[in-house]
């Protein structure tokens, strides 16, 4: 056998004597990273559309792909917190992860796209009100019983109850600033995540109906106006925004572009309320016979669908600035869903959802014919 040169022998000996290198630590996850999801440069908007027969469809507004979801027999309503769709059946709520959501950091936002997942059902009196923050989802049943769910577990596809609270039937519990707000007998209670009361808002809210979450706080509808509850350094306080004189019917349900501080509500059957939280004021808009309303946002218009099927846009002072015949007159009441550039109006009877450019004279940009009856529509991804 031929001997190795001395230089190679020394090199081999040196290599064998070196201690093994420690494994390198994985690189840190980039800012905004969410495991299993793709971060995108634009909002991933999707519509969840259900008909009264229980058929449920998911419409991707970017690709226009339509996906059939598991039917929900006896469906009563659909609501969303921006990512999850909560479909109220006869005696339970079906939870669907739409796979589209936005995380808002104030000065910037992250947009995500993932697979749509059906997570299961939760026994509860329906229809439900749904509100969430980063940690908790509150599902308030029609009997006032509210289930608190772990939001992180829900993000991972698991339905885990962490507590329960009780509110007045027909009202909603709202997670806000690491607490849960709940109205009981005219009083807004501040609860911890286990449902234990930690404080009360001194400003009353009698006969509550309607809630909305905004950047300025949580709005509760009351007989004499809206109660805005906000927090400062952990201290909660309420401010009443009264209706103007005139005796118009009160608001019972608020509608808004997600996160907006301008809210819309029906004022009986022939008018609308526009609630501007920056100005702390209500304005009544005489729309004529009306079926649905929503607000574009600060400085933007009020949109209303009349019982004649015409969509109208109004300035904040109540001046009509545009109109378009979108659905047939006399049909079932539609809804209006609004995002930063488009509005979506469902023609229930035709099984169609119309996408409306509210910055271009209420032009119909696209129409999606989904079949069946498009009775319930929500938008996720925002």
């Amino acid at each position: 056998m031929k001997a190795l040169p001395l230089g190679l022998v020394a090199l081999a000996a040196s290599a064998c004597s070196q201690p093994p290198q420690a494994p390198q630590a994985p690189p840190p996850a980039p800012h905004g990273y969410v495991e299993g999801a793709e971060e995108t440069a634009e909002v991933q908007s999707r519509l969840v559309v259900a008909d009264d027969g229980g058929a449920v469809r998911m419409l991707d507004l970017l690709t226009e792909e339509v996906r059939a979801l598991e039917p929900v027999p006896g469906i009563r309503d659909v609501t969303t917190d921006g990512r999850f769709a909560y479909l109220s059946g006869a005696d339970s709520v079906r939870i669907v992860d739409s796979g589209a959501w936005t995380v808002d950091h104030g000065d910037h936002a992250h947009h995500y796209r993932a697979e749509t997942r059906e997570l299961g059902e939760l026994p509860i009196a329906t229809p439900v009100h749904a509100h969430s923050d980063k940690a908790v989802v509150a599902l308030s049943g029609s009997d006032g019983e509210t289930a608190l769910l772990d939001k992180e577990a829900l993000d991972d596809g698991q339905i885990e109850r962490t507590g329960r609270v009780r509110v007045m039937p027909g009202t909603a519990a709202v997670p806000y600033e690491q607490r849960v707000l709940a109205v009981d007998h005219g009083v807004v209670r501040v609860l911890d995540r286990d449902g234990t009361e930690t404080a009360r808002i001194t400003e009353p809210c009698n006969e509550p109906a309607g809630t909305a979450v905004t950047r300025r706080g949580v709005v509760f509808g009351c007989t004499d106006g809206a109660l805005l509850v906000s927090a400062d350094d952990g201290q909660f306080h309420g401010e009443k925004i009264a209706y103007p004189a005139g005796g118009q019917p009160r608001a019972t349900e608020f509608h808004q572009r997600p996160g907006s501080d301008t809210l819309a509500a029906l004022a009986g059957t022939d008018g609308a309320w526009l609630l501007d939280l920056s100005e702390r004021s209500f304005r009544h808009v005489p729309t004529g016979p009306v079926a649905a309303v929503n607000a574009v946002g600060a400085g933007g218009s009020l949109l209303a669908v009349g019982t004649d099927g015409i969509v109208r846009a109004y300035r904040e002072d109540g001046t009509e600035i545009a109109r378009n015949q979108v659905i047939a007159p006399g049909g079932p009441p539609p809804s209006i869903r609004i995002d930063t550039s488009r509005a979506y109006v469902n023609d229930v009877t035709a099984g169609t959802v119309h996408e409306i450019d509210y910055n271009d004279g209420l032009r119909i940009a696209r129409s999606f014919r989904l079949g069946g009856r498009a009775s319930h529509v929500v938008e996720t991804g925002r």
Side-chain angles (χ1 to χ4, degrees):
M1 180 178 178
K2 189 174 180 180
L4 292 172
L6 291 176
L8 291 179
V9 172
L11 182 60
S14 173
C16 292
S17 64
Q18 292 291 329
Q21 293 185 349
Q24 293 185 343
H31 175 57
Y33 171 78
V34 174
E35 185 176 359
E38 173 191 358
E39 185 169 2
T40 64
E42 58 185 333
V43 176
Q44 303 296 301
S45 295
R46 295 173 178 175
L47 297 183
V48 179
V49 184
D51 75 20
D52 291 329
V56 183
R57 298 172 179 86
M58 176 85 69
L59 169 63
D60 190 314
L61 289 171
L62 294 183
T63 67
E64 300 189 10
E65 176 187 0
V66 178
R67 171 181 174 178
L69 302 179
E70 287 293 320
V72 180
I75 193 165
R76 296 179 175 179
D77 193 21
V78 182
T79 187
T80 184
D81 57 9
R83 172 175 177 175
F84 297 92
Y86 305 94
L87 300 100
S88 291
D91 52 12
S92 64
V93 61
R94 171 84 56 79
I95 303 177
V96 176
D97 182 353
S98 73
W101 70 96
T102 293
V103 178
D104 188 353
H105 292 288
D107 59 344
H108 70 285
H110 296 274
H111 310 297
Y112 296 100
R113 184 182 187 91
E115 288 296 318
T116 300
R117 296 184 294 180
E118 309 236 15
L119 304 188
E121 296 184 358
L122 184 72
I124 193 169
T126 60
V128 301
H129 296 282
H131 293 283
S132 70
D133 61 10
K134 295 179 181 179
V136 172
V137 176
L139 295 181
S140 299
S142 57
D143 61 354
E145 223 26 65
T146 299
L148 301 181
L149 307 182
D150 186 304
K151 178 61 165 52
E152 185 175 349
L154 206 62
D155 291 345
D156 292 335
Q158 303 297 320
I159 301 175
E160 294 184 7
R161 298 183 67 145
T162 61
R164 58 188 288 270
V165 299
R166 184 161 186 85
V167 297
M168 291 183 64
T171 67
V174 184
Y176 177 67
E177 293 292 322
Q178 302 181 42
R179 294 290 188 269
V180 177
L181 304 179
V183 187
D184 187 17
H185 295 90
V187 176
V188 177
R189 300 186 298 149
V190 182
L191 313 173
D192 64 17
R193 299 303 198 190
D194 296 323
T196 302
E197 183 177 313
T198 62
R200 291 191 173 196
I201 304 300
T202 56
E203 187 72 36
C205 183
N206 294 315
E207 299 181 26
T211 56
V213 180
T214 76
R215 293 181 185 275
R216 297 178 185 271
V218 178
V219 173
F220 294 93
C222 317
T223 53
D224 56 350
L227 179 61
L228 175 63
V229 178
S230 56
D232 185 17
D233 291 331
Q235 299 299 311
F236 290 79
H237 59 275
E239 179 181 357
K240 184 65 66 64
I241 304 171
Y243 291 116
Q248 294 91 356
R250 60 167 291 187
T252 57
E253 186 176 4
F254 295 103
H255 306 277
Q256 68 191 123
R257 177 173 55 79
S260 172
D261 294 337
T262 303
L263 312 178
L266 291 174
T269 59
D270 60 358
W273 288 113
L274 197 61
L275 173 58
D276 185 340
L277 295 181
S278 64
E279 298 291 335
R280 302 293 200 271
S281 67
F282 275 101
R283 181 183 297 275
H284 183 260
V285 178
T287 59
V290 63
V293 295
N294 209 329
V296 169
S301 54
L302 170 79
L303 301 186
V305 182
T307 56
D308 55 6
I310 296 176
V311 179
R312 296 172 173 86
Y314 299 87
R315 289 198 186 98
E316 291 183 331
D317 63 2
T319 303
E320 183 182 321
I321 55 176
R323 63 168 59 190
N324 191 4
Q325 183 83 49
V326 173
I327 61 179
S335 58
I336 309 174
R337 306 302 179 190
I338 292 182
D339 60 33
T340 54
S341 62
R342 295 288 192 267
Y344 297 92
V345 176
N346 54 316
D347 186 332
V348 176
T349 303
T352 300
V353 178
H354 299 289
E355 180 183 76
I356 298 173
D357 186 346
Y358 55 74
N359 292 313
D360 188 15
L362 301 178
R363 173 180 62 89
I364 297 179
R366 294 184 291 179
S367 292
F368 303 100
R369 303 185 185 281
L370 302 173
R373 290 169 61 85
S375 302
H376 311 282
V377 179
V378 295
E379 181 181 4
T380 67
R382 298 287 170 175

